[in-house]
């Protein structure tokens, strides 16, 4: 990624502001005419046309085939369009159990994705970094994207991160293993790089495209193996002095909770305990499953069918989750808590039960509890969306590629 030259003169600054205004309009529209851009930006026709010409030369836009005016009189109107293939962004979910990478164009359309599992029992920093490289390379290759055309990358990690994308050692050096120097590694390639906590990226996805769009204050609660919260208060992501806001280690000290274990972990663990207890009736759906086949979806499916053992697990989960939500609401007074992660598609009944318990724990109104619509993709959606926003916000500081022959 190279940098565009800057002008320090007042005329150069005004031209840059006008260019940014036209490019912003192009980003929000498909094909448009100079007249439409004039109406939206308040610029003169000559300014719009000259700014479009500059953006075409820079590689951000193209002029498309002209069409006759509706009256059939006069010269055909020029039509312009953002080049969605002027560059690409990479999103990465470098989780504890998998690495997922996506490549998106400048409209946010996903071009390709690749995923590889990680064995947490044999995971180490060097192998994690190498596997992430491999996953990204495969995603770029499958999408036919030259790495030189990548403008930005955002990486989500299950670790606390500072503003530079670095993580402290943490307990048992877990964070250092989850984030083995991603920021410096990808910046060496010339890519604009952001490394962010995975729950914060889930919150970013919800705020940009999901259940947080109409809420000024909400929490995105990653709820798989462990709880982690991305918090938006009064429209701003809360990170804290060292990026530790939303870390849920405090749940170790909450009565009736006692650990940051998430819904996925607890449903699986408690479901297997019930299965092995020998107390289930003969017609129990949960009892008919092999122990190692019991996971969160299996427990919730059995509960939906009225299985008494599974219902008991869901009720126990509702009490636990209500306490977690009460802590979040008591500290932050949020409008909504979005349950995100791979369990999101199956927690509808759990959230309804949790809401009833929560009503008795907090001052009204209790926060609304909703499942994320992104499922296991919450982090990757947040990563790709954030990378794209970084490009869009500072577009003229980037030099797009692939303009030749357009």
């Amino acid at each position: 990624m190279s940098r565009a030259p800057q002008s320090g003169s007042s005329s150069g600054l005004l031209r840059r502001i006008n260019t940014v205004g036209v490019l912003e309009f192009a980003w929000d529209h498909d094909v448009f005419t100079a007249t439409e851009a004039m109406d939206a930006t308040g610029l003169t026709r000559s300014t719009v046309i000259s700014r479009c010409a500059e953006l075409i030369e820079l590689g951000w836009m193209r002029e498309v085939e002209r069409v006759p005016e509706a009256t059939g009189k006069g010269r055909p109107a020029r039509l312009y369009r953002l080049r969605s293939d002027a560059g690409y962004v990479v999103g990465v979910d470098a989780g504890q159990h998998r690495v997922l990478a996506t490549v998106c164009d400048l409209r946010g359309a996903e071009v390709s994705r690749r995923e590889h599992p990680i064995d947490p029992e044999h995971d180490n920093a060097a192998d994690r970094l190498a596997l992430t490289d491999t996953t990204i390379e495969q995603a770029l290759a499958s999408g036919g994207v030259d790495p030189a055309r990548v403008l930005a990358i955002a990486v989500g990690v299950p670790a606390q991160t500072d503003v530079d994308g670095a993580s402290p050692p943490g307990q048992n050096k877990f964070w250092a293993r989850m984030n083995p120097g991603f920021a410096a590694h990808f910046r060496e390639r010339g890519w604009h790089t952001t490394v962010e906590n995975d729950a914060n990226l889930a919150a970013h996805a919800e705020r940009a495209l999901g259940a947080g769009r109409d809420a000024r204050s909400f929490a995105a609660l990653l709820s798989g193996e462990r709880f982690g919260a991305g918090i938006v208060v009064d429209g701003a992501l809360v990170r804290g002095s060292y990026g530790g806001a939303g870390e849920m280690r405090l749940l170790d000290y909450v009565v009736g909770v006692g650990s940051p274990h998430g819904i996925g972990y607890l449903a699986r663990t408690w479901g297997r305990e019930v299965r092995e207890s020998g107390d289930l009736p003969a017609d129990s759906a949960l009892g008919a499953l092999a122990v190692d086949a019991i996971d969160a979806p299996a427990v919730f499916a059995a509960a939906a069918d009225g299985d008494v053992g599974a219902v008991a697990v869901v009720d126990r989960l509702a009490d636990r989750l209500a306490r977690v939500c009460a802590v979040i609401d008591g500290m932050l007074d949020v409008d909504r808590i979005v349950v995100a992660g791979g369990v999101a598609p199956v927690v509808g009944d759990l959230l309804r039960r949790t809401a009833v318990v929560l009503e008795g724990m907090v001052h009204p109104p209790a926060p609304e509890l909703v499942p994320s619509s992104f499922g296991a993709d919450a982090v990757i959606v947040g990563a790709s969306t954030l990378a794209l926003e970084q490009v869009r916000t500072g577009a003229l500081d980037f030099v797009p590629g692939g303009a030749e022959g357009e």
Side-chain angles (χ1 to χ4, degrees):
M1 178 192 72
S2 56
R3 295 289 180 180
Q6 303 296 306
S7 172
S9 68
S10 58
S11 61
L13 177 60
L14 179 60
R15 185 174 67 180
R16 181 182 175 89
I17 291 172
N18 292 340
T19 303
V20 168
V22 173
L23 183 55
E24 277 291 301
F25 178 80
W27 226 301
D28 288 330
H29 296 79
D30 188 13
V31 177
F32 64 92
T33 64
T35 300
E36 290 168 333
M38 287 167 52
D39 293 342
T41 63
L43 300 174
T44 65
R45 177 176 293 276
S46 61
T47 298
V48 167
I49 291 174
S50 65
R51 296 308 89 220
C52 286
E54 180 183 7
L55 288 166
I56 290 170
E57 183 178 356
L58 291 173
W60 285 110
M61 285 171 42
R62 61 164 59 95
E63 186 174 346
V64 297
E65 184 179 354
R66 301 182 184 187
V67 296
E69 298 284 1
T71 61
K73 299 178 181 179
R75 290 166 47 185
R78 292 181 178 179
L79 293 176
Y80 302 98
R81 171 182 279 163
L82 177 78
R83 290 185 60 242
S84 60
D85 60 348
Y88 295 86
V89 299
V90 174
V92 179
D93 177 2
Q96 186 175 356
H97 298 282
R98 68 165 184 174
V99 174
L100 169 64
T102 61
V103 179
C104 295
D105 68 17
L106 296 185
R107 292 287 189 188
E110 186 176 300
V111 175
S112 61
R113 68 166 54 199
R114 282 294 183 271
E115 179 178 350
H116 286 288
I118 294 176
D119 179 0
E121 297 298 323
H122 302 92
D123 185 27
N124 61 71
D127 288 349
R128 174 172 285 268
L129 191 61
L131 181 62
T132 303
D133 274 341
T134 297
T135 308
I136 293 170
E137 290 164 4
Q138 290 176 351
L140 290 170
S142 66
V145 175
D146 188 325
R149 299 183 67 187
V150 173
L151 301 180
I153 182 172
V155 184
V157 294
Q160 185 174 319
T161 60
D162 62 21
V163 293
D164 293 321
S167 297
Q171 296 177 345
N172 303 317
K173 298 185 177 180
F174 175 79
W175 289 342
R177 179 159 50 91
M178 294 297 103
N179 181 15
F182 283 131
H185 181 70
F186 292 120
R187 285 171 187 150
E188 288 179 356
R189 300 186 181 184
W191 298 349
H192 185 288
T193 302
T194 304
V195 180
E196 182 59 276
N197 171 262
D198 52 4
N200 286 348
L201 287 180
H204 190 84
E206 299 299 338
R207 180 172 58 177
L209 302 170
R213 283 177 294 179
D214 61 343
R216 280 195 57 77
S217 299
F218 72 92
L221 187 63
L222 283 181
S223 309
E225 293 299 295
R226 297 172 65 85
F227 284 121
I231 301 162
V232 173
V233 174
D234 294 331
L237 180 71
V238 179
R239 303 193 78 260
S241 298
Y242 306 100
E247 286 292 326
M248 304 302 280
R249 287 167 293 167
L250 70 120
L251 295 178
D252 289 336
Y253 309 104
V254 176
V255 175
V257 180
S259 79
H261 291 314
I263 293 171
Y265 174 90
L266 294 172
R268 180 179 68 247
T269 300
W270 292 347
R272 292 179 181 185
E273 288 176 358
V274 168
R275 165 67 176 78
E276 293 182 307
S277 69
D279 295 332
L280 293 174
D283 61 349
S284 167
L286 206 59
L289 294 174
V291 172
D292 60 4
I294 295 176
D295 56 11
V299 170
F300 290 123
D305 289 336
D307 184 278
V308 292
V311 169
V313 170
V314 173
D315 284 340
R316 188 178 174 189
L317 282 169
D319 181 79
R320 174 76 69 100
L321 181 58
R323 293 171 187 271
V324 174
C325 293
V327 169
I328 293 172
D329 183 61
M331 291 191 298
L332 301 166
D333 190 24
V334 294
D335 302 312
R336 187 172 298 153
I337 296 176
V338 184
V339 175
V343 299
V346 296
V347 296
D349 183 55
L350 170 63
L351 297 190
R352 287 187 287 273
R353 293 170 185 257
T354 301
V356 174
V357 180
L358 183 61
E359 289 283 351
M361 292 183 174
V362 300
H363 294 295
E368 181 184 12
L369 306 182
V370 299
S372 171
S373 61
F374 300 121
D377 274 359
V379 176
I380 199 69
V381 170
S384 58
T385 302
L386 180 59
L388 184 58
E389 286 185 5
Q390 297 285 355
V391 173
R392 180 167 175 171
T393 300
L396 296 189
D397 293 328
F398 293 86
V399 177
E404 297 83 358
E406 294 291 351

